[in-house]
Amino acid sequence: MEQPKNMTDEELIKGIAAKDHTALKELVDRYQFMVLNLSNSIIGNRDDAEEVTQDVFFQVYKSAHQFRGDANLSTWLHRITVNKSLSFLRNNKKHAQTLSTDIEYEDGNKIEFGSSDEYKPDELILKNEQKKLLNRALNSLPDNQRVAFVLHKTRDLQYKEIAKIMKRSVSSVESLIHRAKLNLQKELLDFFEKNND
Amino acid sequence: MRCKDAKKRFIALIENKLSSNEKNRLEEHLKVCNECSQLFEKVNSTWAGFNGSEQIKPSPYLWTRLEQRIIEYDEKRNSIFDWLRLPGRWLQPVAAATLIVIGIVIGYYLGNFPTSETEALYANAEEREVVLQDFFESNYLNTFSDGFEGSIGEAYLSMESDF
Ligand SMILES: [Zn+2]
């Protein structure tokens, strides 16, 4: 049998459908970064995104036998990630609301700022404030605007691909992203006008 | 250009989506209006945060935890198979009848699912899964796909998903 590393996505899915754990591990290695970061962009919390990431791959394991070859694996994974992230938010509404006003940043920050000799606390605080503000603005959007915007802006996907993931027309995705930007602009302006120093 | 109209065009300017005429008018306004230009700088630098979004690294324990979970899932799955085989063939008509009843209930649930625009995104696998799992957990059963083939045991097991 072929090494999982050399297998195509489609072959991996077949392996997973046959309950091959090494095939699943390879799929996780290939896509965990994408799944985790997409979920984190939607939820705005690292630990929760980790939990959702695990759920996404568990779902893949359970339903790999239903995956149709004509669908794109990446589209499918994006969709499961979006759905799991949104349902996480819906099931943890209280939790999510506290988070949106007070998001904590853990050790992940150091990765972002490179080696420790470049480490600048002021910059870090500024970055964190900025991230908090962006998260809060994102959280104020209706779900479908937020999802379309995040897929477009942080995943850098084409409208056509977003349309497939969200099962919508390209023009409706375009309009969601447009409205998202206007709403985000309004949120940011409101914030800065209220906190004018 | 009035301040109000200028502010509405900040993101469009940042993303280079304005016509050259509008762009010029906005830039002229920003040169003369201190309030707007300060506000623009703040919005601009904040918006940049979307571009260099933080990329986080997966925990090294992700796979270990996931593997544990699928091992437990496989065990549970196999034990249902065993349970179905154990009492012999007489159970199969009972199981079949149970499935039909469950099918009707699922049909009822799905038929009542939200269809508004906002809900459309979830009115698929994800949402159904939550509802159905809650429903079936008490029976120690999992959801199944429509049109199962093979043994009755397999019908208990397949997870539904939307793709
Ligand atoms: Zn002005």
Side-chain angles (χ1 to χ4, degrees):
Chain A
M1 191 169 157
E2 219 175 337
Q3 289 290 309
K5 281 241 180 302
N6 304 323
M7 286 161 80
T8 64
D9 282 354
E10 210 173 279
E11 288 167 334
L12 285 181
I13 285 290
K14 278 185 192 147
I16 295 167
K19 308 290 170 205
D20 175 1
H21 292 191
T22 60
L24 181 66
K25 184 172 191 305
E26 176 59 24
L27 193 86
V28 169
D29 284 346
R30 278 182 207 178
Y31 288 102
Q32 58 178 347
F33 194 80
M34 179 283 277
V35 171
L36 178 68
N37 279 282
L38 173 56
S39 180
N40 186 43
S41 300
I42 297 171
I43 297 177
N45 177 276
R46 189 203 176 104
D47 291 338
D48 295 340
E50 289 264 358
E51 199 181 315
V52 168
T53 302
Q54 205 200 95
D55 285 348
V56 168
F57 288 110
F58 186 56
Q59 178 73 51
V60 168
Y61 184 72
K62 289 191 296 183
S63 50
H65 64 285
Q66 292 180 350
F67 180 72
R68 293 195 309 264
D70 56 343
N72 182 302
L73 179 70
S74 159
T75 307
W76 185 48
L77 278 174
H78 274 90
R79 191 182 300 144
I80 298 177
T81 307
V82 165
N83 287 337
K84 293 268 179 209
S85 303
L86 290 179
S87 99
F88 180 92
L89 287 178
R90 299 171 116 214
N91 295 335
N92 298 273
K93 240 181 184 148
K94 248 190 213 155
H95 185 48
Q97 271 161 4
T98 36
L99 281 173
S100 66
T101 49
D102 184 28
I103 291 166
E104 286 166 32
Y105 296 94
E106 333 76 28
D107 50 320
N109 287 318
K110 278 197 178 171
I111 301 168
E112 190 193 355
F113 283 87
S115 56
S116 52
D117 48 329
E118 291 172 353
Y119 185 73
K120 294 180 186 128
D122 285 355
E123 228 174 85
L124 189 70
I125 290 163
L126 197 73
K127 276 259 175 183
N128 276 347
E129 287 303 310
Q130 187 191 58
K131 259 195 298 190
K132 241 190 248 188
L133 179 57
L134 288 179
N135 267 313
R136 191 160 57 186
L138 274 176
N139 277 332
S140 75
L141 297 177
D143 285 347
N144 42 21
Q145 286 182 27
R146 178 158 30 127
V147 167
F149 180 81
V150 161
L151 289 170
H152 164 67
K153 201 75 186 168
T154 70
R155 302 302 313 157
D156 208 19
L157 296 178
Q158 306 283 324
Y159 287 180
K160 214 174 112 190
E161 184 58 25
I162 299 171
K164 274 193 220 154
I165 293 166
M166 296 181 75
K167 292 186 172 174
R168 282 168 168 270
S169 67
V170 172
S171 61
S172 104
V173 166
E174 241 167 328
S175 133
L176 283 176
I177 292 172
H178 181 68
R179 279 182 282 156
K181 284 178 182 173
L182 292 180
N183 285 330
L184 289 169
Q185 174 173 261
K186 191 176 175 301
E187 278 294 315
L188 295 182
L189 287 172
D190 284 353
F191 175 84
F192 288 127
E193 282 174 335
K194 265 183 218 145
N195 298 275
N196 205 354
D197 33 75
Chain B
M1 190 179 269
R2 288 178 308 167
C3 291
K4 197 174 151 235
D5 296 317
K7 287 173 192 169
K8 274 189 213 158
R9 289 168 171 78
F10 281 0
I11 301 299
L13 179 65
I14 293 168
E15 300 210 312
N16 210 8
K17 297 261 166 70
L18 291 177
S19 68
S20 58
N21 177 35
E22 273 192 311
K23 192 179 167 202
N24 288 340
R25 284 170 57 216
L26 177 52
E27 282 174 346
E28 282 308 313
H29 180 83
L30 291 178
K31 271 182 205 159
V32 295
C33 177
N34 200 28
E35 192 201 320
C36 281
S37 74
Q38 280 185 7
L39 207 51
F40 177 75
E41 276 319 307
K42 288 178 186 167
V43 172
N44 191 16
S45 69
T46 307
W47 195 259
F50 281 128
N51 300 328
S53 277
E54 177 200 22
Q55 298 289 305
I56 55 174
K57 288 184 183 166
S59 146
Y61 303 111
L62 190 123
W63 170 251
T64 335
R65 290 187 193 128
L66 178 64
E67 194 180 26
Q68 188 54 41
R69 203 166 155 191
I70 62 177
I71 288 170
E72 279 163 21
Y73 170 76
D74 284 343
E75 277 167 6
K76 188 171 157 186
R77 186 175 173 271
N78 290 335
S79 71
I80 296 176
F81 267 117
D82 293 344
W83 174 78
L84 280 169
R85 286 193 199 102
L86 197 65
R89 291 190 170 273
W90 65 269
L91 188 71
Q92 294 208 355
V94 179
T98 314
L99 277 180
I100 289 165
V101 172
I102 289 167
I104 291 167
V105 175
I106 289 174
Y108 178 79
Y109 264 92
L110 297 187
N112 283 296
F113 249 79
T115 48
S116 80
E117 196 205 1
T118 327
E119 301 291 314
L121 196 58
Y122 333 107
N124 51 32
E126 186 48 51
E127 190 64 20
R128 268 181 260 151
E129 193 196 11
V130 174
V131 175
L132 294 176
Q133 274 186 351
D134 287 348
F135 180 75
F136 285 117
E137 236 140 48
S138 55
N139 298 315
Y140 195 56
L141 289 174
N142 286 310
T143 52
F144 52 88
S145 59
D146 357 322
F148 57 87
E149 18 177 45
S151 79
I152 229 154
E154 278 169 64
Y156 278 91
L157 302 164
S158 79
M159 298 288 108
E160 52 91 34
S161 171
D162 190 37
F163 44 90

